[in-house]
Amino acid sequence: FTGRGANVNTQQDPRRHEGTGWSILHHAAVHGNVPRITWILNKGALVDLATGEGETPLMMAAKAGATRGVQYLLEYNASVNKTCFKGWTPLHYAGSVGALDCAALILRAGASKNARTVGTVLTPSDLAKNAGHSDTFSLIKLYKEPETPVREVFEAMRDADADKPPKSGVRALASSLGL
């Protein structure tokens, strides 16, 4: 469709299609469809395109527990601290459903574990605890930001892997952490 001028940022009209206002990126992210996510983003989709409720593809991928979707959206610099109209961040969504791996990725990308929702003023760890997700609650509550920002680690790994065998990424990570 894009070959005929369709816009990858077009969203469903929830009034006419019983939809959610999602773009095709929202759908690909929820299913963790990495080839589709990559294709859509390379065609110019906005990584933080929000629905009428303010929900981004990263939020919906976290809510679905789609670890691969979360990972790839983060690699395209999706915002980890953007909020929807309820005040929820992607970490709130991951915490509320117990998506442990998604929460870990989002935290490592720099998400605030102290962000609060609108009205009830709950943190992501509060949502995890209230939903009975003890592992996710512990991860969020006890998480400490590493000294080396994760974006720098990703860039070092990517640069090292461009010219060397696959295991060089581990060496780049170790050296960036001073090990």
Side-chain angles (χ1 to χ4, degrees), residues 115-134:
R116 298 193 177 271
T117 59
V118 174
T120 56
V121 293
L122 298 172
T123 65
S125 62
D126 293 335
L127 291 173
K129 183 178 180 181
N130 293 348
H133 304 298
S134 58

Side-chain angles (χ1 to χ4, degrees), residues 1-8 24 39 43:
F1 291 112
T2 57
R4 292 190 232 149
N7 184 337
V8 291
I24 58 173
W39 182 86
K43 290 290 184 183

Side-chain angles (χ1 to χ4, degrees), residues 40 156 176:
I40 295 166
S176 72

Side-chain angles (χ1 to χ4, degrees), residues 17-46:
H17 302 291
E18 297 180 28
T20 57
W22 285 15
S23 68
I24 58 173
L25 182 57
H26 285 84
H27 290 283
V30 163
H31 295 289
N33 188 331
V34 172
R36 183 63 47 98
I37 292 169
T38 304
W39 182 86
I40 295 166
L41 289 169
N42 287 337
K43 290 290 184 183
L46 303 171

Side-chain angles (χ1 to χ4, degrees), residues 48 54 56-63 70 74 78-84 87-97 99 102-103 106-107 111-112 115 124 140:
D48 287 322
T56 66
L58 181 59
M59 291 173 189
M60 297 298 89
K63 182 179 179 182
V70 167
L74 291 174
S79 175
V80 293
N81 289 312
K82 186 172 178 124
T83 60
C84 69
W88 287 37
T89 65
L91 189 56
H92 282 93
Y93 283 100
S96 72
V97 297
C102 293
I106 293 166
L107 282 165
S112 171
I140 297 169

